[in-house]
Each structure stands twice: as structure tokens, then as C-alpha cells.
Amino acid sequence: MHSSSVDSPPRQPEHRTAARSAGALAVCSALLLTLVAARWGPLITVDGDISRTTHRWAVNDPDTTQVFRVLTDWVWDPLTMRILCAVAMVWLVWRRSAWWTALWLAATCALGTLLQQGLKAAVDRPRPVWSDPVDSAHYAAFPSGHALTATVVFGLLLWLLHHHGAGHVLWRTALTVATLSVVGVGLTRIWLGVHWPSDVLGGWLLGALVVAVAVPVYGHLPHRRRPPL
């Protein structure tokens, strides 16, 4: 049995699954956005309690804090994620001549960035402020750009690998790296005291929503048949 080609459209069950996922993620994202924008008391309280606890840990454990700073500023930084996406695009064009897939990747990542920046400007949520900060960040807090970008990039690459029949070892390795990265970057942002927990949750939800919307769009592109991966 042959795998799907790089530029072949996704199967209909994947369309339906992505549509249902997009609907659920849209509802959850809208609800969280509403609570954050309205500064809902219980959410603010939970955010504050978790942030104060993790900040205390960060101050008392400078070695772990330094490791987390390296991970969040270099390994999982949004620029690093975009470079990873660009490398995947170059490989798709150079080795597979999959121009439409490469453009789809670029457009989806750009959409994620626009969504992130637009919501930051609209909500204008202040970041946590500490008398003894262990790190710093700029711009508004919601949603977390690190969490959203990592979710979009890894989500797209994982979907492509799964859809086009990646080998067992490659798939398991990619899934492990992606899970550790997406979860890890969110936790580092909270630990370093530059985001509230709901900022990170919002980044995860919105990033997953972008991926879920992009999957059905991929099926409507003018694909051409290519050899399997």
C-alpha cells in the first residue's frame, strides 16, 4: 500500500475531524478570551496564585531558571519556530516540488502571527510585574506568542507527517519532540513570570485552532500528484 503524496489532498474523514475540532477550539478560545478581556475575578485569582507560586520557585532555584531562559529564548523562541518552518518549506520545494504545501505552511504561520498580534493589541492585558524579576518581556500578555507559535508550527509539521505516512520511528520521535516543546515552552513562560497561566492556555488553544482551520483549507489547494514520502 502506498502513502499519500506530499501534494495530495487529505481524506474526507480528516476534513470532518478537523472541522469538529475547529468548532470546539473556537468555542473554548472565545470563552477564554471573553473571561480574560472582562478580567473575570476567579480567573484573575487563579492566575495570580499560580504565578506567585512559580515565581517564588524561580527566584529560589536560579539554576533551573537559567535553563528555562535558554530554552525559551533560544530553543523555543518564535523566531526559532519560524526558522524550523522555513527549513521544512525549503525541503518541500527542493526535494518534493511541493510548492502549494510550502505556501500553505507559510500562510498558516503568518495567520497565526497576525492573530497573535491582533489579540495582543485588542486585549492589551498587562504582564505580571515583580519586585525581583528573573526575566523580562515586551508587549501585551494575552495570548502567549511563544505558546501559540510553537503550537502552530509543530501542529502543522506533525499533521503533514501523519497524513503522508511517516515511518513509525520518525512519527514517534517527532510526536515526542513536539509535545515536549509545546508544553515546555508554555511552562517556561509561566515559570519565568512573563505570562499568566491563562495567557499560555490561550496560546495553546488559538494555535490549535489555526491548525484545525488550516487542515481543511489544504484539501482545496490545486495539488499535484507526487511520489510518497
Side-chain angles (χ1 to χ4, degrees), residues 21-37 115 119 123 142-143 148 198 201-210:
S21 299
L25 288 167
V27 171
C28 293
S29 298
L31 176 59
L32 180 60
L33 173 61
T34 301
L35 296 178
V36 169
L115 178 64
L119 287 176
V123 178
F142 185 90
L148 189 152
S198 56
L201 178 58
W204 285 334
L205 288 172
L206 291 165
L209 174 60
V210 170

Side-chain angles (χ1 to χ4, degrees), residues 141-214:
F142 185 90
S144 166
H146 282 67
L148 189 152
T149 304
T151 303
V152 169
V153 172
F154 279 112
L156 293 174
L157 297 181
L158 277 179
W159 181 81
L160 283 174
L161 286 173
H162 174 71
H163 176 71
H164 295 294
H168 179 71
V169 174
L170 175 59
W171 168 249
R172 292 293 296 272
T173 302
L175 180 61
T176 300
V177 171
T179 302
L180 289 175
S181 298
V182 172
V183 174
V185 72
L187 296 181
T188 61
R189 303 308 283 169
I190 299 171
W191 177 280
L192 295 172
V194 293
H195 274 297
W196 306 106
S198 56
D199 299 335
V200 172
L201 178 58
W204 285 334
L205 288 172
L206 291 165
L209 174 60
V210 170
V211 174
V213 170

Side-chain angles (χ1 to χ4, degrees), residues 25-110:
L25 288 167
V27 171
C28 293
S29 298
L31 176 59
L32 180 60
L33 173 61
T34 301
L35 296 178
V36 169
R39 291 172 170 76
W40 189 52
L43 178 64
I44 301 301
T45 298
V46 171
D47 272 345
D49 290 343
I50 295 175
S51 295
R52 282 187 290 272
T53 299
T54 53
H55 179 68
R56 185 169 63 251
W57 293 345
V59 171
N60 293 333
D61 191 351
D63 292 336
T64 300
T65 298
Q66 182 58 32
V67 171
F68 283 1
R69 289 189 65 179
V70 171
L71 288 172
T72 198
D73 291 340
W74 294 96
V75 180
W76 296 325
D77 184 76
L79 177 59
T80 306
M81 295 295 100
R82 294 182 185 112
I83 291 174
L84 175 62
C85 187
V87 170
M89 291 167 56
V90 170
W91 184 88
L92 285 165
V93 172
W94 179 41
R95 297 297 299 273
R96 316 303 301 181
S97 295
W99 289 92
W100 284 108
T101 301
L103 290 173
W104 171 79
L105 273 175
T108 305
C109 289

